[in-house]
C-alpha cells in the first residue's frame, strides 16, 4: 500500500495531508484489494477516494458519495478536478444525501468507508439510523464498514460535533451495531493519548495541530 502513497502522479496538495491521514494504514485496515467494489460516504474533495480507486485497480470500482450542501459549500470544484484526472476514471460520482447514500443498483459492496465525517451528520441533520441501515443493505455479507473519526471526551455524545468536530466513540459504536453490524477490530494507528480533546479538530481551525487529534478507527462487519 505504501507504493500507492508514493505514486508519482499524486498531487502535492494531497501529499501534504499524508502524515496526519496515514492512508496506507487505512487501506490495510479496511482490507481494500484489487477488483473490489468500494464506496466512500461524504467523499468531499476526494483525497481518500483516490486512494481507494488506486487500491482496487482497473478491475474494481469506487463510489464517491457527497450530499448537496457539501458540494455547494466547498467541494464541487476540486471534486470535479479530481474526477477528471485519469487515475480516477474508476470512480462513480454519487450525488445523494447521507440518509440514502446509494442508488438501488449499488449493492454487494466489499467495503464502505466513513473517514472523519460521522460527526458531520449532526449539522447535516442526517437520520443516522437510516444511513447505517442503508450501508448495511449495500454491503455484501462479510462486507466491512470502516468508521474513523476524531474522539470527543467519553460520555459527551454529539455535544462537541459542531463546536469541536469530534464525536463520542461509544455513541458511534452503539449506533452502528444497532444497524446489525458486529465490531470486528479497532486500530490504534490514529490514536494520540496526548490529545486533550478540547480543541477544534476541523481542518480550517486546527492549524498546526491538523491531523493530530485522537481518532478512533472501528472496523465493523456485516454478518453472513
Amino acid at each position: 500500500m505504501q507504493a500507492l502513497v508514493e505514486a508519482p502522479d499524486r498531487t502535492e496538495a494531497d501529499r501534504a495531508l499524508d502524515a496526519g491521514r496515514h492512508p496506507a494504514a487505512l487501506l490495510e485496515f479496511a482490507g481494500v484489494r484489487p477488483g473490489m467494489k468500494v464506496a466512500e460516504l461524504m467523499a468531499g474533495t476526494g483525497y481518500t477516494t483516490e486512494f481507494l480507486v488506486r487500491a482496487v485497480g482497473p478491475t474494481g470500482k469506487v463510489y464517491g458519495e457527497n450530499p448537496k450542501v457539501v458540494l455547494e459549500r466547498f467541494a464541487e470544484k476540486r471534486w470535479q478536478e479530481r474526477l477528471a484526472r485519469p487515475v480516477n476514471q474508476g470512480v462513480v460520482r454519487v450525488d445523494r444525501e447521507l440518509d440514502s447514500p446509494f442508488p438501488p443498483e449499488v449493492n454487494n459492496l466489499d467495503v464502505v468507508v466513513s473517514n472523519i465525517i460521522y460527526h458531520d451528520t449532526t449539522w447535516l441533520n442526517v437520520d443516522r439510523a437510516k444511513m447505517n441501515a442503508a450501508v448495511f443493505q449495500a454491503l455484501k455479507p462479510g462486507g466491512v464498514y470502516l468508521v474513523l473519526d476524531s474522539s470527543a471526551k467519553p460520555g459527551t455524545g454529539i455535544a462537541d460535533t459542531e463546536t469541536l468536530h469530534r464525536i463520542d466513540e461509544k455513541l458511534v459504536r452503539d449506533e452502528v451495531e444497532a444497524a446489525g453490524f458486529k465490531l470486528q477490530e479497532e486500530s490504534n494507528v490514529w490514536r494520540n493519548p496526548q490529545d486533550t480533546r478540547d480543541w477544534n479538530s476541523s481542518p480550517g481551525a486546527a492549524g498546526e495541530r491538523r491531523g493530530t487529534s485522537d481518532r478512533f478507527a472501528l472496523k465493523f462487519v456485516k454478518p453472513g
Side-chain angles (χ1 to χ4, degrees), residues 72-167:
E72 290 178 344
R73 287 194 184 185
F74 74 91
E76 180 64 57
K77 182 175 183 293
R78 286 188 290 164
W79 183 224
Q80 280 189 21
E81 290 171 350
R82 188 180 297 277
L83 294 182
R85 297 175 62 226
V87 70
N88 292 304
Q89 63 182 2
V91 178
V92 178
R93 174 173 171 157
V94 180
D95 293 12
R96 291 175 68 94
E97 299 308 305
L98 283 163
D99 302 64
S100 179
F102 309 122
E105 65 270 19
V106 177
N107 53 48
N108 212 36
L109 297 174
D110 295 285
V111 179
V112 174
V113 174
S114 168
N115 192 12
I116 324 180
I117 62 95
Y118 201 97
H119 70 274
D120 289 310
T121 58
T122 56
W123 68 266
L124 288 168
N125 296 314
V126 174
D127 184 328
R128 293 190 299 281
K130 285 182 65 176
M131 176 185 75
N132 291 327
V135 173
F136 189 90
Q137 181 66 32
L139 282 165
K140 70 179 186 182
V144 167
Y145 184 19
L146 180 64
V147 182
L148 195 157
D149 213 335
S150 291
S151 310
K153 292 181 178 179
T156 54
I158 62 170
D160 295 335
T161 53
E162 292 192 61
T163 53
L164 303 183
H165 291 261
R166 298 168 178 268
I167 194 165

Side-chain angles (χ1 to χ4, degrees), residues 1 8 14 22 25 34 38 45 53 90 106 133 156 163 165 186-187 220 222 224:
M1 293 303 180
D14 278 0
H22 306 290
V38 179
T45 61
V53 80
V106 177
T156 54
T163 53
H165 291 261
E186 53 187 299
S187 173
F220 298 93
K222 177 177 178 175

